[in-house]
Amino acid sequence: MGISILEQVLRRLRNAEFQADAAFPGQKYPQLTKTAAAVHIEKVDRANMTVTLEVNIISPAALGGTACELEALRATEVLQWDGAVCVQQGCSYDGAAQVYVVAILATYNCVTEADSCTFGPGFEVYINDNIQHFAVSFEEEEARDYNAEFSMGEPEALGISTGSRLWNITLEEHIMPGSPEAAEPKGDFILRIERPAGTETFYQCRWRSIRRVMDKTGLRRIRRGISTMKEVN
């Protein structure tokens, strides 16, 4: 159970552009040139069916303690949106390693297998093979054009013809404070949804509208568009 959860947390952090790797208590910090994340299992509580991971955000002394704290806040938001209950601790300085460290305790609800842990929205979104790190919801609606067929001079319709088919798509993201927005694709793009049950791919996509809502929790970006083709695998 624990190893699988550990791997999933590492994957989430790496997707959020953290240099992340597994670590063990007492292990020496490597020589760093930028902020990194070291993750290990702090405890497993089978009575309450939870597992707690300690995520240490480590920054070189040259970057300063504030930079370490800000990156820790970003990591906390990533884990929080991944389904964890997080407690971020204060920043400390390790003089021997010359690094600043902020520890985050991230607790997940689990039963016996990694798949039963609560992780994120349950799917991943890719646009032209670029993962959309902060996607929280996706909606699709199949639409068809129907036209009444008339014969010249007749007031009643003879039947209904089926026109083109397309999909209305909506992608919503919650982008944490301090995190960059993914660049918008130029022209048509391919959007892919990956989830345990399978993969859905939408071709010849275009955004019709982009709505941005900012508040104290970050930026909500809601993009609505169309696709002319869908493939399910």
Side-chain angles (χ1 to χ4, degrees):
M1 176 183 65
I3 295 300
S4 296
I5 295 169
L6 183 62
E7 290 171 350
Q8 291 194 54
V9 169
L10 288 171
R11 182 181 181 186
R12 298 294 187 223
L13 290 169
R14 288 165 183 161
N15 285 344
E17 300 182 355
F18 282 95
Q19 177 183 328
D21 207 345
F24 299 96
Q27 180 176 324
K28 291 183 178 180
Y29 298 127
Q31 292 295 321
L32 299 175
T33 58
K34 63 178 182 178
T35 301
V39 186
H40 71 93
I41 297 170
E42 176 68 16
K43 67 176 181 178
V44 176
D45 186 342
R46 294 193 178 277
N48 293 311
M49 295 183 178
T50 62
V51 59
T52 300
L53 288 83
E54 183 179 60
V55 180
N56 286 305
I57 303 301
I58 310 161
S59 291
L63 298 179
T66 299
C68 186
E69 290 178 328
L70 292 176
E71 283 295 272
L73 283 172
R74 189 166 71 88
T76 296
E77 290 292 331
V78 170
L79 299 171
Q80 193 79 29
W81 278 100
D82 199 35
V85 176
C86 296
V87 177
Q88 180 175 326
Q89 299 178 350
C91 183
S92 62
Y93 179 68
D94 186 327
Q98 296 187 338
V99 295
Y100 286 97
V101 183
V102 175
I104 303 166
L105 296 178
T107 301
Y108 290 88
N109 293 319
C110 300
V111 183
T112 56
E113 300 295 337
D115 290 344
S116 66
C117 294
T118 305
F119 282 99
F123 60 87
E124 291 183 339
V125 181
Y126 295 83
I127 293 179
N128 290 340
D129 291 328
N130 296 315
I131 190 168
Q132 307 300 290
H133 299 297
F134 304 113
V136 294
S137 70
F138 176 78
E139 180 181 343
E140 64 170 282
E141 179 185 20
E142 183 178 343
R144 287 179 180 268
D145 291 330
Y146 293 97
N147 301 298
E149 294 184 337
F150 293 88
S151 179
M152 184 175 295
E154 296 293 332
E156 301 294 333
L158 298 177
I160 297 176
S161 62
T162 302
S164 60
R165 179 171 64 165
L166 58 82
W167 285 264
N168 295 312
I169 55 176
T170 302
L171 175 62
E172 181 174 349
E173 301 162 285
H174 189 283
I175 302 170
M176 276 77 76
S179 298
E181 297 181 49
E184 295 294 347
K186 296 180 180 180
D188 292 353
F189 59 89
I190 298 172
L191 185 146
R192 187 172 78 253
I193 307 294
E194 293 187 359
R195 54 195 181 92
T199 300
E200 298 178 1
T201 305
F202 297 84
Y203 296 94
Q204 296 176 333
C205 301
R206 287 259 183 164
W207 295 128
R208 281 176 162 169
S209 68
I210 300 174
R211 183 184 177 202
R212 301 168 77 252
V213 181
M214 288 177 279
D215 60 27
K216 63 182 181 181
T217 67
L219 170 67
R220 287 177 58 232
R221 181 168 65 170
I222 301 123
R223 293 182 281 182
R224 294 184 170 90
I226 60 171
S227 167
T228 61
M229 187 185 306
K230 175 184 176 182
E231 182 180 79
V232 179
N233 294 316

